[in-house]
Protein backbone atom coordinates (compact mmCIF):
# COMPACT_ATOMS: atom_id res chain seq x y z
CA UNK A 1 0.00 0.00 0.00
CA UNK A 2 1.22 3.48 -0.91
CA UNK A 3 1.63 6.03 1.94
CA UNK A 4 -0.86 8.89 2.04
CA UNK A 5 0.51 11.83 0.03
CA UNK A 6 0.25 15.14 1.83
CA UNK A 7 0.99 17.31 -1.22
CA UNK A 8 -2.68 17.77 -2.16
CA UNK A 9 -3.63 18.39 1.45
CA UNK A 10 -0.82 20.95 1.82
CA UNK A 11 -1.96 22.76 -1.34
CA UNK A 12 -5.55 22.82 -0.10
CA UNK A 13 -4.41 24.14 3.27
CA UNK A 14 -2.50 26.96 1.58
CA UNK A 15 -5.63 27.90 -0.36
CA UNK A 16 -7.64 27.97 2.86
CA UNK A 17 -4.92 29.70 4.93
CA UNK A 18 -6.42 33.22 4.69
CA UNK A 19 -9.39 31.85 6.63
CA UNK A 20 -7.19 31.64 9.70
CA UNK A 21 -6.07 35.27 9.56
CA UNK A 22 -6.77 37.62 12.46
CA UNK A 23 -10.26 39.17 12.36
CA UNK A 24 -9.90 42.96 12.20
CA UNK A 25 -13.58 43.62 12.79
CA UNK A 26 -14.22 44.64 9.17
CA UNK A 27 -17.57 43.78 7.66
CA UNK A 28 -17.55 41.16 4.95
CA UNK A 29 -17.84 42.67 1.50
CA UNK A 30 -21.15 42.42 -0.24
CA UNK A 31 -21.43 41.91 -3.94
CA UNK A 32 -20.17 39.32 -6.39
CA UNK A 33 -17.97 36.45 -5.36
CA UNK A 34 -14.91 35.63 -7.42
CA UNK A 35 -14.18 31.98 -8.07
CA UNK A 36 -10.49 31.11 -7.93
CA UNK A 37 -8.74 28.48 -10.00
CA UNK A 38 -5.06 27.61 -10.19
CA UNK A 39 -3.33 25.31 -12.70
CA UNK A 40 0.32 24.51 -12.01
CA UNK A 41 2.95 23.31 -14.44
CA UNK A 42 3.31 20.01 -12.59
CA UNK A 43 -0.27 19.00 -13.43
CA UNK A 44 -2.03 20.13 -10.26
CA UNK A 45 -5.36 21.92 -10.56
CA UNK A 46 -7.02 23.66 -7.59
CA UNK A 47 -10.28 25.61 -7.38
CA UNK A 48 -12.16 27.46 -4.67
CA UNK A 49 -15.89 28.12 -4.64
CA UNK A 50 -16.80 25.90 -7.59
CA UNK A 51 -16.70 22.30 -8.73
CA UNK A 52 -13.63 20.81 -10.39
CA UNK A 53 -14.64 18.40 -13.16
CA UNK A 54 -12.03 16.16 -14.80
CA UNK A 55 -13.28 15.13 -18.21
CA UNK A 56 -12.45 12.01 -20.24
CA UNK A 57 -8.89 12.09 -21.55
CA UNK A 58 -7.61 14.51 -18.90
CA UNK A 59 -4.64 13.51 -16.76
CA UNK A 60 -3.72 15.45 -13.61
CA UNK A 61 -1.25 15.00 -10.80
CA UNK A 62 -3.51 16.43 -8.08
CA UNK A 63 -7.08 17.77 -8.09
CA UNK A 64 -8.12 20.00 -5.16
CA UNK A 65 -11.42 21.78 -4.53
CA UNK A 66 -12.08 24.07 -1.56
CA UNK A 67 -15.80 24.74 -1.04
CA UNK A 68 -16.59 22.66 -4.11
CA UNK A 69 -16.81 19.11 -5.37
CA UNK A 70 -14.28 17.13 -7.39
CA UNK A 71 -15.87 15.00 -10.10
CA UNK A 72 -13.67 12.49 -11.95
CA UNK A 73 -15.40 11.33 -15.13
CA UNK A 74 -14.90 8.06 -17.06
CA UNK A 75 -11.60 8.15 -18.93
CA UNK A 76 -10.00 10.76 -16.65
CA UNK A 77 -6.88 9.83 -14.67
CA UNK A 78 -5.64 11.65 -11.58
CA UNK A 79 -3.00 10.88 -8.96
CA UNK A 80 -4.61 12.31 -5.79
CA UNK A 81 -7.95 14.02 -5.15
CA UNK A 82 -8.86 16.33 -2.23
CA UNK A 83 -12.15 18.11 -1.54
CA UNK A 84 -12.46 20.46 1.43
CA UNK A 85 -16.08 21.16 2.37
CA UNK A 86 -17.18 19.29 -0.73
CA UNK A 87 -17.69 15.82 -2.18
CA UNK A 88 -15.46 13.61 -4.27
CA UNK A 89 -17.33 11.71 -6.96
CA UNK A 90 -15.44 9.10 -8.98
CA UNK A 91 -17.68 8.05 -11.83
CA UNK A 92 -17.88 4.63 -13.48
CA UNK A 93 -14.68 3.85 -15.37
CA UNK A 94 -12.65 6.68 -13.80
CA UNK A 95 -9.32 6.01 -12.13
CA UNK A 96 -7.52 7.57 -9.19
CA UNK A 97 -3.93 6.30 -9.03
CA UNK A 98 -3.38 7.56 -5.50
CA UNK A 99 -5.62 8.66 -2.65
CA UNK A 100 -9.04 10.26 -2.36
CA UNK A 101 -9.61 12.61 0.60
CA UNK A 102 -12.79 14.48 1.55
CA UNK A 103 -12.65 16.86 4.52
CA UNK A 104 -16.17 17.84 5.57
CA UNK A 105 -17.74 15.93 2.71
CA UNK A 106 -18.50 12.51 1.29
CA UNK A 107 -16.75 10.20 -1.16
CA UNK A 108 -18.92 8.54 -3.81
CA UNK A 109 -17.50 5.77 -5.98
CA UNK A 110 -19.70 4.60 -8.85
CA UNK A 111 -19.73 1.11 -10.38
CA UNK A 112 -16.29 0.18 -11.85
CA UNK A 113 -14.58 3.24 -10.36
CA UNK A 114 -11.07 2.41 -9.14
CA UNK A 115 -8.96 4.00 -6.38
CA UNK A 116 -5.46 2.52 -6.13
CA UNK A 117 -4.69 4.20 -2.80
CA UNK A 118 -6.69 5.07 0.30
CA UNK A 119 -10.15 6.64 0.58
CA UNK A 120 -10.40 8.99 3.59
CA UNK A 121 -13.54 10.93 4.57
CA UNK A 122 -13.29 13.10 7.69
CA UNK A 123 -16.67 14.56 8.59
CA UNK A 124 -18.35 12.52 5.88
CA UNK A 125 -18.89 9.02 4.58
CA UNK A 126 -17.59 6.68 1.90
CA UNK A 127 -20.26 5.32 -0.44
CA UNK A 128 -19.01 2.76 -2.96
CA UNK A 129 -21.13 0.85 -5.45
CA UNK A 130 -20.72 -2.92 -5.30
CA UNK A 131 -18.24 -3.14 -8.19
CA UNK A 132 -16.15 -0.08 -7.21
CA UNK A 133 -12.69 -0.92 -5.87
CA UNK A 134 -10.41 0.67 -3.29
CA UNK A 135 -6.99 -1.00 -3.07
CA UNK A 136 -5.89 0.83 0.07
CA UNK A 137 -7.58 1.56 3.37
CA UNK A 138 -11.09 2.97 3.76
CA UNK A 139 -11.26 5.48 6.60
CA UNK A 140 -14.24 7.59 7.49
CA UNK A 141 -14.66 9.49 10.73
CA UNK A 142 -17.52 11.70 11.82
CA UNK A 143 -18.10 13.15 15.25
CA UNK A 144 -21.32 14.97 16.06
CA UNK A 145 -21.96 17.13 19.11
CA UNK A 146 -25.44 18.55 19.76
CA UNK A 147 -26.48 17.55 16.27
CA UNK A 148 -23.56 19.31 14.55
CA UNK A 149 -20.87 17.38 12.75
CA UNK A 150 -17.65 18.87 14.16
CA UNK A 151 -15.33 18.61 11.13
CA UNK A 152 -17.92 20.18 8.83
CA UNK A 153 -18.67 22.92 11.37
CA UNK A 154 -14.98 23.72 11.80
CA UNK A 155 -14.36 23.90 8.05
CA UNK A 156 -17.47 26.00 7.43
CA UNK A 157 -16.41 28.51 10.09
CA UNK A 158 -12.81 28.58 8.86
CA UNK A 159 -13.79 29.11 5.22
CA UNK A 160 -16.45 31.74 5.97
CA UNK A 161 -13.72 34.30 6.62
CA UNK A 162 -12.48 36.61 3.88
CA UNK A 163 -10.06 35.00 1.47
CA UNK A 164 -7.89 36.37 -1.29
CA UNK A 165 -10.56 35.22 -3.75
CA UNK A 166 -13.16 37.91 -3.19
CA UNK A 167 -13.92 41.29 -4.67
CA UNK A 168 -14.76 43.89 -2.07
CA UNK A 169 -16.50 47.23 -2.55
CA UNK A 170 -15.96 50.30 -0.42
CA UNK A 171 -18.86 52.47 0.79
CA UNK A 172 -18.84 54.50 -2.47
CA UNK A 173 -19.15 51.42 -4.66
CA UNK A 174 -15.63 51.53 -6.14
CA UNK A 175 -13.89 48.21 -6.80
CA UNK A 176 -10.66 47.63 -4.90
Amino acid sequence: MRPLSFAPLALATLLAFPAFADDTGKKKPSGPRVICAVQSKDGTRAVQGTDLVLEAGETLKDAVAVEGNVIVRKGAVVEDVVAIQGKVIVEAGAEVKGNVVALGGDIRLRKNAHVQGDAVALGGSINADEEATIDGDKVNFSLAFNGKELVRSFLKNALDEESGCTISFDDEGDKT
Side-chain angles (χ1 to χ4, degrees), residues 28-141:
K28 286 188 179 183
S30 60
R33 178 170 185 202
V34 174
I35 297 170
C36 294
V38 177
Q39 174 83 33
S40 73
K41 291 180 182 178
D42 74 347
T44 297
R45 188 179 305 159
V47 299
Q48 182 175 0
T50 189
D51 292 346
L52 173 56
V53 180
L54 282 70
E55 298 292 345
E58 284 190 88
T59 301
L60 287 180
K61 183 176 186 285
D62 300 313
V64 180
V66 178
E67 296 180 305
N69 303 318
V70 179
I71 302 166
V72 184
R73 301 229 191 263
K74 178 180 181 175
V77 179
V78 62
E79 184 72 25
D80 293 306
V81 178
V82 177
I84 297 177
Q85 201 174 350
K87 298 176 187 174
V88 175
I89 301 167
V90 183
E91 293 185 350
E95 179 150 3
V96 178
K97 292 184 175 265
N99 303 304
V100 174
V101 178
L103 303 175
D106 299 324
I107 296 173
R108 177 75 169 112
L109 303 176
R110 302 282 184 195
K111 181 179 179 179
N112 296 323
H114 185 198
V115 175
Q116 292 181 12
D118 300 330
V120 179
L122 300 178
S125 62
I126 300 171
N127 303 299
D129 287 350
E130 193 172 307
E131 294 180 26
T133 56
I134 301 170
D135 293 345
D137 294 330
K138 288 178 19 177
V139 179
N140 66 308
F141 177 78

Side-chain angles (χ1 to χ4, degrees), residues 2-13 62 80 82 99:
R2 201 171 146 256
L4 184 63
S5 171
F6 288 99
L9 188 55
L11 177 61
T13 302
D62 300 313
D80 293 306
V82 177
N99 303 304

Side-chain angles (χ1 to χ4, degrees), residues 141-162:
F141 177 78
S142 291
L143 181 63
F145 184 73
N146 284 340
K148 283 185 139 181
E149 207 295 315
L150 295 181
V151 172
R152 288 182 192 214
S153 293
F154 170 79
L155 290 170
K156 184 177 184 320
N157 290 335
L159 294 173
D160 275 347
E161 298 296 321
E162 282 186 52

